[in-house]
Amino acid sequence: MAVNSPLPVAADLKPIAGIRLGFAQAGIKKPNRKDVLVMALAPTATVAGVFTTNRFCAAPVQVCKAHLDALHMSDAPIRALVVNTGNANAGTGDAGLAAANATCSALAELLECEPAQILPFSTGVILEPLPVDKLIAGLPAALECLSENNWYAAAEAIMTTDTQPKAASSYVVINGIPVTMTGISKGAGMIKPNMATMLGYLAMDAKVSQSVLEHMVKQAADQSFNCITIDGDTSTNDSFMLIATGASELEITEIDSPEYLALATAVNALSQKLAHMIIRDGEGATKFISIAVEEGRDLEECRKIAYSIAHSPLVKTAFFASDPNLGRILAAIGYAGVNDLDVSKLDMYLDEVLVAKSGGRNPDYREEDGQRVMQQSEITIRVKLGRGEAKTTVWTCDLSHDYVSINADYRS
Amino acid sequence: MAVNSPLPVAADLKPIAGIRLGFAQAGIKKPNRKDVLVMALAPTATVAGVFTTNRFCAAPVQVCKAHLDALHMSDAPIRALVVNTGNANAGTGDAGLAAANATCSALAELLECEPAQILPFSTGVILEPLPVDKLIAGLPAALECLSENNWYAAAEAIMTTDTQPKAASSYVVINGIPVTMTGISKGAGMIKPNMATMLGYLAMDAKVSQSVLEHMVKQAADQSFNCITIDGDTSTNDSFMLIATGASELEITEIDSPEYLALATAVNALSQKLAHMIIRDGEGATKFISIAVEEGRDLEECRKIAYSIAHSPLVKTAFFASDPNLGRILAAIGYAGVNDLDVSKLDMYLDEVLVAKSGGRNPDYREEDGQRVMQQSEITIRVKLGRGEAKTTVWTCDLSHDYVSINADYRS
């Protein structure tokens, strides 16, 4: 059960002119489940992405990066994205790279384009060889059912340990021209060192130049997918892709324009929603936790402290237990690596409850107030550093028995 | 099934210092269900409300108004609100007034205060005598379980045809002082001439002077409960009450202050959430529809047009059927009573789809685009009048077979 996150409604997912989606049951890991997704793009489309910073990045991520880099030296646009579940094709060495390239070649042949015009993605178990023959054998079926209306099925096709598909749409009217956007995502949650992936795909019908789209995807990720964490592990396959199909009349070629701002605001909001869906469906999650760090000297120290709290297993299990053992949060702030932090200026709130004031326990704080907030399903921790204007928010979930069960059982 | 509205989580409902809630099963209409709610207030509390404009306003509404008016000539604050379901005590003449007054007297005796310090509310069938003896007999049980933590049960206790309880909390920190607020509501939906009621109660721990609270509740209602409609019928019992318990250190005595603005903004947002919950759980509702009317000459004409659309059974059944029979919307605009409306300046959108342009069908409009949006569970109709700066938004739901079934069966 995802935390306060109703199932998406298929009819609410808007088709985006210029992108068609098809899926197949290729039997990559298990039979009778959708495990291949193809997103076919109009030739007018631009694509940009951000990827995992994990040094062991998976073979398909390496191929994606190479094909996106090649866009700067070529006029041949990306024509399709292909995603498989059931196997991450990571930690698979040269054979893995060959498998990713073979996937691109096979799809390119079917779509009559070049392999470099394909972006491959994989998610699932790592350190196991990708059954690339099965994947390739599934491609014709995926192409056969290509449709603009397959977003819900697409969201299902990329699920792994997710308990429900994640998808949403929105639109914005800019200069009288409507832009629609639909995105899908999948979670998340892993126990080191070898599991899971976060994937996000957001498509819109605006026309956006490649360099502008690259800027837009980075700032969107920085306010959404880069601000969530289940367990602090960065997977080998994490990717967030922004697609502008160019089917709408709205064209964005400059970052310093009101049109860019309007579009980026809408993209950020939808990205955030897709990112939150991942947290709400985090493995075993029972609580959705926002961690706001304010009054920092710079963004970096705010992020350090927010992630230090978000990643602390002591903090996360206390949230699961609804135990206001809030000294654990102060401890996580203390070891966050902000060396000149003056804790005597620090205030900490749990929702509206002022727990710590000027670095110590607020004299008016009552255990029962903290206890009450800890029992909620949605909780905000707010830390005020009292030394500047910078701020950030990071979202996470608690750490439950089920998290352990799910991950212990993942390969069975 | 409410439209995209998950059940509230009991632990997320924040207790508000200075208000305790107790309930009872008094058997007013049916046995074994909570049908009496008492909200007992600290002596520091202020209370203000807005009520139905229906000329047949129910006996308890008349008594409420008289008791609130008396506050201006007395130092004796309101000490409790009492709500019963199962019977609206409306259209009941002098006997109804006597019953409402008897309820106040009985509760006042138990709480050792004056009858004028009690506010009574009723909801349920009208034109039937209130079994006041049963109601009064239930009061001691309600007082026995008074607790700050009973918000979820309170939301259940005021339900009638609602399929789920409606409740939410929020908080805001103003000048370093936290203010928490929790509200409950019940819907809504009636077939003329004799059914149902909308009730809303929002309590916060701020200290707000009586005159300021009266201003705050009006503007909150104007942006929330006064902007929703299931079927256009104004019930005999509709009430929205704002309670400031005075338990927090934050005191608001002036409307022209940043503190007022911050608090009112939070109150408005929570009121809107509670109001939306009513629409999402509208009788038989399958869709949540926002109607935004923009570029009007004044607010009144925007509201006229928005409500004309929202109340049209032709429009509402078309939404239920997902039938893009959008001329019905134009017709509803046309008969809204804005006599000098120049339709040649009018544009209409269904979500991002421009359906009508300059008063006629948009040449680029395709039926399939309208069809697609009509199938969604959340839809925005946007009408631009092209003659000014005023705007408003009204929320409603569709009109389904189930609406008729529910209301036809209501008294069985």
Side-chain angles (χ1 to χ4, degrees):
Chain A
M1 280 287 296
V3 181
N4 302 327
S5 187
L7 264 184
V9 176
D12 287 357
L13 302 176
K14 294 176 181 290
I16 307 300
I19 177 167
R20 293 175 303 146
L21 308 102
F23 51 87
Q25 300 186 342
I28 289 177
K29 184 174 159 201
K30 291 179 182 171
N32 303 320
R33 58 165 293 171
K34 300 186 197 82
D35 53 9
V36 170
L37 170 66
V38 172
M39 294 176 260
L41 308 183
T44 50
T46 50
V47 182
V50 290
F51 297 93
T52 179
T53 55
N54 190 308
R55 299 291 299 162
F56 273 102
C57 81
V61 172
Q62 297 174 48
V63 173
C64 272
K65 285 180 171 176
H67 290 185
L68 287 170
D69 280 347
L71 287 175
H72 297 129
M73 294 160 289
S74 147
D75 288 334
I78 300 299
R79 294 305 307 277
L81 295 77
V82 52
V83 190
N84 74 271
T85 62
N87 186 299
N89 192 12
T92 43
D94 288 344
L97 273 174
N101 282 319
T103 307
C104 294
S105 295
L107 185 54
E109 196 177 327
L110 291 166
L111 292 174
E112 298 178 352
C113 65
E114 295 301 313
Q117 293 178 279
I118 308 292
L119 298 179
F121 303 84
S122 298
T123 177
V125 181
I126 80 169
L127 283 177
E128 291 186 13
L130 175 69
V132 65
D133 293 345
K134 288 184 184 174
L135 167 49
I136 289 173
L139 293 175
L143 297 188
E144 217 158 276
C145 70
L146 280 176
S147 161
E148 285 185 2
N149 296 307
N150 273 342
W151 283 100
Y152 193 90
E156 290 178 318
I158 64 171
M159 288 168 66
T160 54
T161 57
D162 309 70
T163 70
Q164 59 183 49
K166 296 165 183 68
S169 286
S170 72
Y171 66 94
V172 58
V173 178
I174 299 172
N175 297 342
I177 304 170
V179 176
T180 52
M181 50 189 79
T182 295
I184 56 177
S185 63
K186 74 158 291 274
M190 19 179 186
I191 286 187
K192 285 180 184 170
N194 66 350
M195 292 286 168
T197 294
M198 190 233 54
L199 295 176
Y201 301 92
L202 196 164
M204 58 187 166
D205 53 7
K207 190 170 183 61
V208 184
S209 67
Q210 182 66 27
S211 62
V212 170
L213 197 71
E214 286 170 6
H215 186 272
M216 194 180 279
V217 72
K218 282 194 182 67
Q219 59 86 33
D222 281 343
Q223 295 176 56
S224 59
F225 292 96
N226 282 344
C227 295
I228 61 172
T229 177
I230 306 281
D231 50 19
D233 291 295
T234 304
S235 108
T236 50
N237 296 54
D238 293 345
S239 310
F240 170 51
M241 307 301 297
L242 186 57
I243 299 160
T245 67
S248 149
E249 284 161 40
L250 186 81
E251 183 163 358
I252 310 259
T253 53
E254 281 182 35
I255 289 166
D256 296 323
S257 64
E259 292 78 13
Y260 175 89
L261 184 64
L263 186 59
T265 301
V267 166
N268 293 351
L270 188 57
S271 303
Q272 210 169 83
K273 193 168 185 180
L274 293 167
H276 285 187
M277 286 176 176
I278 291 176
I279 294 298
R280 293 182 180 284
D281 195 23
E283 288 169 348
T286 72
K287 295 181 180 175
F288 180 79
I289 300 166
S290 304
I291 302 170
V293 178
E294 302 172 1
E295 299 181 357
R297 211 170 268 166
D298 54 41
L299 182 61
E300 196 198 338
E301 70 177 34
C302 293
R303 287 178 70 90
K304 269 187 183 171
I305 289 172
Y307 275 109
S308 185
I309 298 169
H311 292 161
S312 161
L314 287 176
V315 170
K316 292 165 83 77
T317 50
F319 274 95
F320 172 59
S322 300
D323 174 14
N325 194 338
L326 301 172
R328 290 178 176 181
I329 300 176
L330 296 183
I333 296 169
Y335 66 60
V338 180
N339 293 328
D340 61 349
L341 187 68
D342 177 358
V343 298
S344 77
K345 292 188 174 154
L346 184 148
D347 291 346
M348 185 183 77
Y349 288 84
L350 205 62
D351 268 20
E352 79 284 4
V353 177
L354 180 57
V355 176
K357 195 173 172 175
S358 306
R361 185 188 172 105
N362 168 22
D364 295 335
Y365 172 67
R366 300 180 307 168
E367 177 92 359
E368 66 202 76
D369 293 331
Q371 175 70 62
R372 177 179 48 72
V373 176
M374 289 299 278
Q375 283 168 339
Q376 296 171 193
S377 66
E378 311 248 337
I379 300 169
T380 297
I381 300 169
R382 191 149 63 97
V383 179
K384 298 170 85 166
L385 300 178
R387 58 197 237 135
E389 306 274 311
K391 61 179 177 179
T392 195
T393 300
V394 160
W395 297 279
T396 192
C397 56
D398 58 335
L399 175 55
S400 70
H401 290 302
D402 279 356
Y403 176 87
V404 179
S405 306
I406 291 164
N407 281 288
D409 295 347
Y410 182 67
R411 292 207 295 187
S412 66
Chain B
M1 280 289 294
V3 181
N4 303 328
S5 186
L7 265 184
V9 176
D12 287 357
L13 302 176
K14 293 176 180 290
I16 307 300
I19 177 167
R20 292 174 303 146
L21 308 102
F23 51 87
Q25 299 185 343
I28 289 176
K29 185 176 158 202
K30 291 179 180 168
N32 304 321
R33 56 165 293 168
K34 301 186 196 83
D35 54 8
V36 170
L37 169 67
V38 172
M39 294 175 260
L41 308 183
T44 49
T46 49
V47 182
V50 290
F51 297 94
T52 179
T53 54
N54 191 309
R55 299 292 299 162
F56 273 102
C57 81
V61 172
Q62 296 174 50
V63 173
C64 271
K65 284 180 172 176
H67 289 185
L68 287 171
D69 280 347
L71 287 176
H72 297 130
M73 294 161 289
S74 149
D75 288 334
I78 300 299
R79 295 305 308 276
L81 295 77
V82 52
V83 191
N84 74 271
T85 62
N87 186 298
N89 192 12
T92 44
D94 288 344
L97 274 175
N101 281 319
T103 307
C104 293
S105 296
L107 185 54
E109 198 177 324
L110 291 166
L111 293 175
E112 299 179 351
C113 65
E114 294 302 312
Q117 293 178 278
I118 307 292
L119 298 180
F121 303 84
S122 298
T123 176
V125 181
I126 80 167
L127 283 175
E128 289 186 13
L130 175 71
V132 66
D133 292 346
K134 288 184 183 172
L135 169 48
I136 289 173
L139 293 176
L143 297 189
E144 219 157 275
C145 69
L146 280 176
S147 161
E148 286 185 2
N149 296 307
N150 273 341
W151 283 101
Y152 193 90
E156 290 178 318
I158 64 172
M159 287 168 67
T160 54
T161 58
D162 308 71
T163 69
Q164 61 183 49
K166 296 164 185 65
S169 287
S170 71
Y171 67 93
V172 57
V173 178
I174 300 173
N175 297 343
I177 304 170
V179 176
T180 52
M181 50 190 77
T182 296
I184 57 176
S185 63
K186 74 158 292 273
M190 19 181 186
I191 286 186
K192 286 179 182 170
N194 67 350
M195 293 286 167
T197 293
M198 189 234 53
L199 294 177
Y201 302 92
L202 195 163
M204 57 187 166
D205 54 7
K207 190 170 183 64
V208 184
S209 67
Q210 183 65 28
S211 61
V212 169
L213 196 70
E214 286 170 5
H215 186 272
M216 194 180 280
V217 73
K218 281 194 184 66
Q219 59 84 34
D222 281 344
Q223 294 176 56
S224 59
F225 292 97
N226 283 344
C227 295
I228 62 171
T229 178
I230 305 282
D231 50 18
D233 291 295
T234 304
S235 109
T236 51
N237 296 55
D238 292 346
S239 310
F240 170 51
M241 308 301 297
L242 186 57
I243 299 159
T245 66
S248 148
E249 285 161 38
L250 186 82
E251 183 164 358
I252 311 261
T253 54
E254 281 181 36
I255 290 166
D256 296 323
S257 64
E259 291 80 10
Y260 175 89
L261 184 64
L263 186 59
T265 301
V267 166
N268 294 352
L270 188 57
S271 302
Q272 211 171 79
K273 194 168 185 180
L274 292 166
H276 285 187
M277 285 176 176
I278 291 176
I279 294 298
R280 293 182 180 282
D281 194 26
E283 288 168 348
T286 71
K287 293 180 182 179
F288 180 78
I289 301 165
S290 304
I291 302 170
V293 179
E294 303 170 0
E295 299 181 357
R297 211 170 268 166
D298 54 41
L299 183 60
E300 196 198 339
E301 70 177 32
C302 293
R303 287 178 68 91
K304 269 187 183 173
I305 289 172
Y307 275 109
S308 185
I309 298 168
H311 292 161
S312 161
L314 287 177
V315 170
K316 292 164 83 76
T317 49
F319 274 96
F320 171 59
S322 301
D323 174 14
N325 195 338
L326 302 171
R328 291 179 177 181
I329 299 176
L330 296 182
I333 296 169
Y335 66 60
V338 180
N339 293 327
D340 61 351
L341 186 67
D342 178 357
V343 297
S344 77
K345 293 190 174 153
L346 185 148
D347 291 346
M348 185 182 78
Y349 288 84
L350 206 62
D351 269 20
E352 79 285 4
V353 177
L354 179 59
V355 176
K357 193 172 173 177
S358 307
R361 184 188 173 104
N362 168 22
D364 295 335
Y365 172 67
R366 300 179 307 168
E367 177 92 359
E368 65 202 77
D369 292 331
Q371 175 70 62
R372 177 179 48 71
V373 176
M374 290 299 278
Q375 284 170 336
Q376 296 171 192
S377 66
E378 311 248 336
I379 300 168
T380 297
I381 300 169
R382 192 150 63 100
V383 179
K384 298 170 84 165
L385 301 178
R387 56 196 238 137
E389 306 275 311
K391 61 178 177 179
T392 195
T393 301
V394 160
W395 297 278
T396 192
C397 56
D398 57 336
L399 174 55
S400 70
H401 290 302
D402 280 355
Y403 176 89
V404 179
S405 306
I406 291 164
N407 281 287
D409 295 347
Y410 182 66
R411 292 209 294 188
S412 66

